[in-house]
């Protein structure tokens, strides 16, 4: 973009890199400091970048590019709210600067405001359709929101403009996997690895498909990548989980477990404030709070449309939801955040954490919360009479759900505890689930889950069903008939072929549920060290 002397020019290249024209209007001494600040910022020397920016902002406090660089420093320093303020000040001067909108969206996303972030990214691509980085950010935001039908074209736009944009290629692969296009997802990951053979996200994307098998050459390449001393912490974790999967595919279970244990150890170390004892105590408080019956519901039929599929991760809940999704009367809504959000909002309103306020809640309160949940959940549903919600935190919230939604059916997906815990230990989750990265923590979580599940089963007969994963894959028709009967749904043969259901699946089982129902082989016998630890921690007989 041409610019006249003394005029600010919001110039970038297609990838979103800033041009020196963006501060060409400054005097020579300030231009030099801006260039130095940008260089320090690129090298993550944030203190040095601030030192160079300070005199520029002292002289030109409203300069858009100086404020933009300040915003980046603040964002990288863990202050996204302050970064947003800096970007907004800059946009008052340069409202049509696409790069500023793109940066603003990134800070809003980090600050937890996904809707505002998506709007900022949309504004960026409107102003600069050639800006690959903004298309990527928009696609990634849509994917996070579960709007896969919008994520895919945005990511494809990014790759049209910058074919070697590896993060966009990896995110497209993740999106395609969720849409059920497994072969296309594999092709996306493999193309990313051709562009960057060290792309940790692509290696883990292949591993996370579960159905993809690595060969010996790939395992050796992964070993080489992990052997480099300069691999950053997060990519090292991704590569470690991928190597563990590759070695498992090759039957080298001892080395696979060694790689897996190391990757988990590194991931576990990233949770500095993780307190498993406090979490176990929280579950005990929930058990105590809901040990006695609550007030009679105002409307005993409230929530009849809801089927809550609850479980620990890796327990067969995605398969169960896929079976229900095959039914003509059911919309599968996936892992909804709404139940926990309604409870969190009530806790904030009362100024007390859950479950401390449970004893004080009236029938009117529970009815209000139930209606709030149903209204929130409506946006995830279609037109079917029933819908599923398989939020992974909901197993601990069954007591609250039953008071909010007295007519809802709750399906509790259970799996052999050792296999369940080991499967979680082998999974790198996108967020949360801190307990899965240590076998003892995982066992403690399972014990809490088991304790509450048994309580819910006793307290809510007729509304709470224990569904065994092992029984489901061993005798699918009998178990599926029982599941449908429990939910009050007539039998439909389509439910016997859940792999044929066309819908997005945003869980680690996304590729697995595209295959016919079949028993997964027991893995614990391949990992005797893990099995021994888990059996002892779970207090199971060997």
């Amino acid at each position: 973009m041409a610019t006249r002397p003394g005029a600010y020019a919001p110039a970038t290249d297609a990838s979103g890199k800033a041009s020196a024209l963006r501060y060409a209007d400054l005097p020579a001494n300030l231009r030099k400091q801006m260039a130095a600040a940008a260089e320090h910022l690129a090298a993550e020397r944030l203190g040095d970048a601030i030192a160079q920016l300070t005199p520029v902002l002292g002289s030109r406090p409203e300069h858009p590019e100086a404020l933009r660089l300040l915003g980046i420093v603040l964002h990288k320093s863990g202050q996204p709210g302050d970064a947003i303020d800096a970007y907004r000040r800059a946009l008052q001067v340069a409202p049509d600067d696409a790069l500023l909108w793109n940066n603003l969206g990134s800070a809003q996303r980090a600050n937890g405001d996904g809707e505002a972030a998506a709007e900022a990214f949309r504004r960026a691509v409107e102003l600069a359709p050639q800006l690959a980085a903004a298309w990527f950010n928009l696609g990634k935001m849509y994917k996070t929101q579960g709007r896969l039908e919008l994520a895919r074209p945005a990511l494809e736009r990014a790759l049209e403009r910058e074919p070697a944009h590896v993060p966009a290629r990896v995110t497209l692969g993740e999106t395609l996997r969720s849409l059920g296009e497994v072969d296309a997802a594999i092709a996306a990951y493999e193309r990313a690895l051709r562009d960057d053979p060290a792309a940790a996200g692509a290696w883990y994307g292949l591993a996370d498909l579960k159905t993809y098998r690595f060969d010996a050459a790939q395992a050796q390449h992964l070993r080489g990548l992990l052997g480099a001393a300069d691999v950053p912490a997060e990519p090292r974790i991704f590569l470690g989980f991928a190597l563990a999967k590759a070695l498992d595919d090759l039957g080298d279970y001892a080395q696979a477990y060694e790689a897996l244990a190391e990757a988990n150890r590194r991931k576990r170390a990233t949770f500095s404030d993780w307190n498993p004892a406090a979490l176990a105590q929280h579950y005990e408080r929930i058990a105590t709070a809901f040990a006695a019956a609550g007030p009679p519901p105002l409307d005993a039929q409230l929530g009849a449309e809801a089927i809550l599929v609850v479980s620990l991760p890796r327990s067969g809940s995605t398969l169960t939801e896929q079976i229900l999704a095959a039914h003509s009367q059911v919309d599968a809504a996936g892992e909804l955040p709404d139940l926990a959000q309604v409870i969190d909002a009530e806790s904030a309103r009362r100024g007390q954490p859950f479950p401390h306020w449970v004893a004080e809640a009236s029938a009117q309160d529970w009815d209000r919360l139930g209606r709030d949940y149903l209204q929130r959940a409506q946006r995830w549903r279609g037109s079917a009479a029933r819908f599923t919600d398989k939020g992974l935190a909901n197993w601990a919230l069954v007591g609250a759900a039953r008071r909010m939604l007295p007519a809802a059916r709750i399906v509790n997906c259970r799996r052999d505890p050792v296999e369940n815990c080991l499967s979680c230990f082998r999974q790198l989750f996108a967020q949360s689930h801190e307990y899965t990265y240590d076998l003892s923590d995982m066992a403690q979580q399972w014990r809490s889950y088991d304790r509450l599940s048994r309580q819910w089963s006793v307290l809510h007969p007729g509304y709470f069903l224990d569904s065994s994963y092992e029984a489901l894959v061993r005798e699918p028709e009998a178990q599926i008939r029982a599941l449908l009967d429990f939910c009050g749904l007539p039998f439909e043969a389509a439910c016997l072929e859940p792999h044929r259901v066309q819908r997005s699946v945003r869980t680690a089982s996304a590729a697995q549920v595209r295959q016919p129902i079949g028993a997964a082989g027991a893995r614990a016998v391949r990992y005797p060290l893990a099995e021994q630890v888990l059996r002892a921690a779970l207090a199971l007989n060997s």
Side-chain angles (χ1 to χ4, degrees):
M1 178 183 294
T3 184
R4 64 185 185 278
Y8 170 75
T12 65
D13 63 20
S15 68
K17 295 178 181 177
S19 163
L21 288 174
R22 296 176 64 86
Y23 51 85
D25 58 315
L26 294 173
N29 63 320
L30 297 184
R31 291 201 302 272
K32 183 177 180 180
Q33 288 176 308
M34 286 288 288
E39 183 177 338
H40 288 311
L41 190 53
E44 301 289 330
R45 297 188 294 266
L46 304 184
D48 291 334
I50 283 289
Q52 294 295 327
L53 285 172
T54 298
V56 179
L57 288 165
S59 176
R60 300 288 182 89
E62 302 305 318
H63 192 275
E65 183 64 359
L67 286 169
R68 190 184 74 85
L69 296 186
L70 174 63
I72 295 174
V73 171
L74 291 168
H75 187 168
K76 288 178 175 289
S77 301
Q79 304 172 69
D82 292 334
I84 290 169
D85 291 340
Y87 295 138
R88 290 202 179 283
R89 283 173 55 198
L91 284 165
Q92 290 177 357
V93 179
D96 294 332
D97 187 334
L99 198 53
L100 274 170
W101 283 106
N102 188 45
N103 291 137
L104 174 63
S106 295
Q108 289 170 324
R109 178 173 56 198
N111 209 39
D113 193 346
E115 287 301 323
E119 182 56 38
F121 295 139
R122 283 193 291 268
R123 180 65 177 143
V125 298
E126 288 170 3
L127 289 165
Q130 82 286 357
L131 199 57
W135 282 112
F136 164 60
N137 281 329
L138 180 59
K140 187 176 180 180
M141 191 70 251
Y142 282 146
K143 177 181 173 293
T144 300
Q145 294 174 327
R147 302 163 75 180
L148 302 182
E149 74 288 352
L150 296 177
R152 180 178 186 169
L155 294 165
E156 290 173 340
R157 291 277 193 98
L159 291 165
E160 288 169 5
R161 286 148 180 78
E162 190 180 343
H165 195 304
V166 171
R169 189 76 62 182
V170 171
T171 306
L172 178 61
E174 295 166 353
T175 302
L176 292 167
R177 181 194 71 163
S178 294
L179 290 169
E181 299 184 32
V182 177
D183 290 343
I186 292 171
Y189 293 136
E190 290 179 339
R191 166 64 192 271
L193 289 172
R194 287 197 297 274
D195 290 331
D196 179 7
W203 284 112
Y204 183 71
L206 290 171
D208 200 34
L209 287 171
K210 306 295 190 292
T211 56
Y212 182 89
R213 294 187 64 83
F214 290 98
D215 60 30
Q218 290 171 312
Q220 188 59 33
H221 184 77
L222 284 164
R223 283 186 184 279
L225 292 174
L226 282 164
D230 60 347
V231 180
E234 185 176 31
R236 186 174 289 278
I237 293 169
F238 279 95
L239 292 170
F241 275 92
L243 176 61
K245 169 66 165 63
L247 293 170
D248 183 279
D249 287 346
L250 296 170
D252 190 348
Y253 303 122
Q255 291 294 312
Y257 182 63
E258 184 178 313
L260 185 62
E262 174 63 13
N264 275 282
R265 184 191 66 77
R266 289 181 178 276
K267 181 64 176 180
R268 174 68 175 76
T270 65
F271 302 119
S272 58
D273 57 352
W274 165 237
N275 188 338
L279 184 60
Q281 291 169 5
H282 172 65
Y283 295 137
E284 284 299 317
R285 286 192 291 270
I286 291 175
T288 301
F290 290 98
L298 298 185
D299 180 358
Q301 293 306 307
L302 187 64
E305 62 267 48
I307 302 170
L308 305 186
V309 180
V310 302
S311 72
L312 287 179
R314 311 297 298 152
S315 298
S317 61
T318 301
L319 174 58
T320 298
E321 185 179 49
Q322 191 81 347
I323 290 166
L324 292 168
H327 199 283
S328 63
Q329 296 181 25
V330 179
D331 286 324
E335 296 179 1
L336 303 189
D338 301 289
L339 184 59
Q341 288 177 351
V342 167
I343 291 172
D344 288 345
E346 182 68 5
S347 298
R349 189 184 73 83
R350 291 174 176 269
Q352 287 182 292
F354 177 80
H356 293 277
W357 50 264
V358 165
E360 303 169 6
S362 66
Q364 289 79 6
D365 290 326
W366 292 116
D367 187 86
R368 169 175 53 81
L369 297 177
R371 294 180 189 280
D372 184 11
Y373 165 82
L374 292 173
Q375 183 177 5
R376 290 170 182 246
Q378 185 66 40
R379 69 189 188 278
W380 307 106
R381 310 179 44 186
S383 58
R386 310 286 294 280
F387 74 94
T388 60
D389 173 356
K390 64 177 293 289
L392 285 177
N394 290 353
W395 62 266
L397 304 177
V398 167
R402 284 283 297 128
R403 296 188 186 182
M404 292 164 57
L405 308 164
R409 293 296 191 273
I410 300 165
V411 181
N412 181 39
C413 298
R414 280 183 168 272
R415 186 179 179 184
D416 174 87
V418 174
E419 293 293 339
N420 190 182
C421 292
L422 180 58
S423 185
C424 287
F425 192 65
R426 297 178 69 241
Q427 179 68 43
L428 177 59
F429 290 92
Q431 58 186 357
S432 193
H433 304 303
E434 293 89 344
Y435 55 87
T436 63
Y437 302 105
D438 178 272
L439 290 175
S440 296
D441 289 351
M442 183 68 238
Q444 180 171 277
Q445 184 78 354
W446 188 91
R447 291 197 307 271
S448 295
Y449 158 78
D450 182 59
R451 157 82 167 84
L452 278 173
S453 293
R454 292 179 187 277
Q455 177 170 318
W456 306 142
S457 183
V458 170
L459 292 176
H460 307 293
Y463 292 90
F464 185 87
L465 174 71
D466 276 320
S467 176
S468 163
Y469 171 74
E470 286 77 18
L472 176 59
V473 298
R474 185 175 60 248
E475 45 180 10
E477 182 168 351
Q479 295 298 314
I480 290 170
R481 285 182 178 274
L483 171 65
L484 297 177
D485 185 61
F486 167 76
C487 294
L489 294 166
F491 176 75
E492 292 184 1
C495 295
L496 300 177
E497 297 183 307
H499 60 288
R500 298 188 184 279
V501 176
Q502 297 298 312
R503 72 181 187 96
S504 64
V505 179
R506 294 184 291 141
T507 74
S509 304
Q512 291 170 299
V513 297
R514 311 296 180 184
Q515 300 179 325
I517 297 174
R523 290 193 174 274
V525 295
R526 304 175 185 177
Y527 295 94
L529 292 177
E531 183 180 20
Q532 182 179 359
V533 171
L534 286 170
R535 287 194 173 278
L538 291 164
L540 299 172
N541 294 324
S542 58

